[in-house]
Amino acid sequence: MELIQIVEEKLKGHDDRITHVYGVLSRALELQALYGGNIEVIKTSALLHDLFKYDSMDAQLAVIQDKSLVKQYRHATVMYHALAAAYYVRDHLNIKDDLVFEAISNHVWGKINMSLETMIIVVADYCEPNRTFKEANIVYELAKKDLVAAYVLSLEFVTNYLYEQGIMPHQEQLDAIAFYKENK
Ligand SMILES: [Fe+2]
Ligand SMILES: [Fe+2]
């Protein structure tokens, strides 16, 4: 089955999410044209990254093979849809590519020493054309000039928003900001 068919079927009834997925794909390919990275990896990761967005938590947990990850993110359960998609793509769609696995499982906030492909997906996810908040456009404009700076800024916007809501960001988010500020 074509990847597009898989997306349309799994996200059936969630038209806005499907539009978002195509937005991430177009933004990611735009960034690939500027910065390089494996096109197939980027296309596959962009199309499949939110495949489990609307599954129940039980359904998400059922496909995450590494149970230590479940524990690791028990206070950041938004990570489960990303991990579930990564495992599903690897174990059920049989796409055995470490870069795809990394990009999908880390699409929520990236990680220290991530691949170029992962960073492109994270930034594209934040600033795809259908995002309406003003920070998305600020990140997009910066991404055309400096991908790493755009990544850091997107994470700063996210973590500042969390602080405003009284929510402590995950330590990994703070570590990633510090790492990429030092390693520009
Ligand atoms: Fe997501
Ligand atoms: Fe997304």
Short mmCIF file of all heavy atoms in Angstrom, two decimals, residues 31 34-35 138-150:
data_model
loop_
_atom_site.label_atom_id
_atom_site.label_comp_id
_atom_site.label_asym_id
_atom_site.label_seq_id
_atom_site.Cartn_x
_atom_site.Cartn_y
_atom_site.Cartn_z
N LEU A 31 12.73 22.40 3.39
CA LEU A 31 13.96 22.48 4.21
C LEU A 31 15.02 21.52 3.67
O LEU A 31 16.22 21.84 3.69
CB LEU A 31 13.64 22.18 5.68
CG LEU A 31 12.71 23.21 6.36
CD1 LEU A 31 12.33 22.75 7.77
CD2 LEU A 31 13.39 24.59 6.43
N LEU A 34 17.03 23.04 1.06
CA LEU A 34 18.01 24.02 1.55
C LEU A 34 19.18 23.36 2.28
O LEU A 34 20.31 23.80 2.17
CB LEU A 34 17.32 24.98 2.54
CG LEU A 34 16.31 25.96 1.96
CD1 LEU A 34 15.59 26.68 3.09
CD2 LEU A 34 17.01 26.98 1.05
N TYR A 35 18.90 22.30 3.02
CA TYR A 35 19.93 21.76 3.94
C TYR A 35 20.37 20.34 3.62
O TYR A 35 21.30 19.83 4.24
CB TYR A 35 19.40 21.81 5.38
CG TYR A 35 19.13 23.22 5.84
CD1 TYR A 35 17.83 23.70 5.95
CD2 TYR A 35 20.19 24.09 6.14
CE1 TYR A 35 17.58 25.01 6.36
CE2 TYR A 35 19.94 25.39 6.54
CZ TYR A 35 18.64 25.85 6.65
OH TYR A 35 18.41 27.14 7.04
N ILE A 138 7.46 32.94 12.55
CA ILE A 138 8.78 33.44 12.98
C ILE A 138 9.82 32.31 12.83
O ILE A 138 10.92 32.51 12.32
CB ILE A 138 8.73 33.95 14.45
CG1 ILE A 138 7.77 35.14 14.55
CG2 ILE A 138 10.12 34.32 14.96
CD1 ILE A 138 7.44 35.58 15.98
N VAL A 139 9.44 31.11 13.27
CA VAL A 139 10.34 29.96 13.16
C VAL A 139 10.60 29.62 11.69
O VAL A 139 11.74 29.33 11.29
CB VAL A 139 9.77 28.75 13.94
CG1 VAL A 139 10.50 27.46 13.58
CG2 VAL A 139 9.86 29.00 15.45
N TYR A 140 9.56 29.69 10.87
CA TYR A 140 9.73 29.39 9.45
C TYR A 140 10.72 30.37 8.79
O TYR A 140 11.63 29.95 8.07
CB TYR A 140 8.37 29.43 8.75
CG TYR A 140 8.46 29.30 7.25
CD1 TYR A 140 9.15 28.22 6.67
CD2 TYR A 140 7.85 30.23 6.41
CE1 TYR A 140 9.23 28.10 5.29
CE2 TYR A 140 7.94 30.10 5.04
CZ TYR A 140 8.63 29.05 4.48
OH TYR A 140 8.73 28.94 3.12
N GLU A 141 10.54 31.65 9.06
CA GLU A 141 11.44 32.65 8.45
C GLU A 141 12.89 32.39 8.88
O GLU A 141 13.80 32.49 8.06
CB GLU A 141 11.01 34.07 8.84
CG GLU A 141 9.72 34.53 8.17
CD GLU A 141 9.77 34.44 6.63
OE1 GLU A 141 10.81 34.81 6.04
OE2 GLU A 141 8.77 33.98 6.04
N LEU A 142 13.08 32.04 10.15
CA LEU A 142 14.43 31.76 10.64
C LEU A 142 14.96 30.45 10.04
O LEU A 142 16.15 30.34 9.72
CB LEU A 142 14.42 31.70 12.17
CG LEU A 142 15.76 31.51 12.88
CD1 LEU A 142 16.76 32.60 12.48
CD2 LEU A 142 15.58 31.51 14.40
N ALA A 143 14.08 29.48 9.87
CA ALA A 143 14.50 28.16 9.36
C ALA A 143 15.10 28.26 7.96
O ALA A 143 15.96 27.46 7.58
CB ALA A 143 13.31 27.20 9.35
N LYS A 144 14.66 29.24 7.20
CA LYS A 144 15.21 29.41 5.84
C LYS A 144 16.65 29.89 5.89
O LYS A 144 17.40 29.74 4.94
CB LYS A 144 14.33 30.37 5.04
CG LYS A 144 13.00 29.74 4.65
CD LYS A 144 12.20 30.63 3.71
CE LYS A 144 11.38 31.64 4.50
NZ LYS A 144 10.46 32.40 3.65
N LYS A 145 17.03 30.50 7.03
CA LYS A 145 18.39 31.03 7.15
C LYS A 145 19.28 30.16 8.02
O LYS A 145 20.48 30.04 7.79
CB LYS A 145 18.35 32.45 7.76
CG LYS A 145 17.68 33.46 6.87
CD LYS A 145 17.56 34.81 7.59
CE LYS A 145 16.13 35.33 7.48
NZ LYS A 145 15.69 36.10 8.62
N ASP A 146 18.71 29.58 9.08
CA ASP A 146 19.52 28.85 10.06
C ASP A 146 18.63 27.80 10.74
O ASP A 146 17.83 28.13 11.62
CB ASP A 146 20.05 29.86 11.10
CG ASP A 146 21.01 29.23 12.10
OD1 ASP A 146 20.93 27.99 12.32
OD2 ASP A 146 21.83 29.97 12.67
N LEU A 147 18.78 26.56 10.30
CA LEU A 147 17.90 25.49 10.77
C LEU A 147 18.05 25.25 12.27
O LEU A 147 17.06 25.08 12.98
CB LEU A 147 18.20 24.20 9.99
CG LEU A 147 17.32 23.00 10.33
CD1 LEU A 147 15.87 23.24 9.93
CD2 LEU A 147 17.86 21.73 9.66
N VAL A 148 19.30 25.22 12.75
CA VAL A 148 19.54 24.92 14.18
C VAL A 148 18.94 26.02 15.05
O VAL A 148 18.27 25.74 16.05
CB VAL A 148 21.05 24.75 14.46
CG1 VAL A 148 21.29 24.56 15.96
CG2 VAL A 148 21.60 23.56 13.68
N ALA A 149 19.15 27.27 14.65
CA ALA A 149 18.58 28.39 15.42
C ALA A 149 17.05 28.31 15.42
O ALA A 149 16.42 28.60 16.45
CB ALA A 149 19.04 29.72 14.83
N ALA A 150 16.48 27.91 14.31
CA ALA A 150 15.01 27.78 14.24
C ALA A 150 14.53 26.66 15.15
O ALA A 150 13.50 26.79 15.82
CB ALA A 150 14.58 27.51 12.80
#
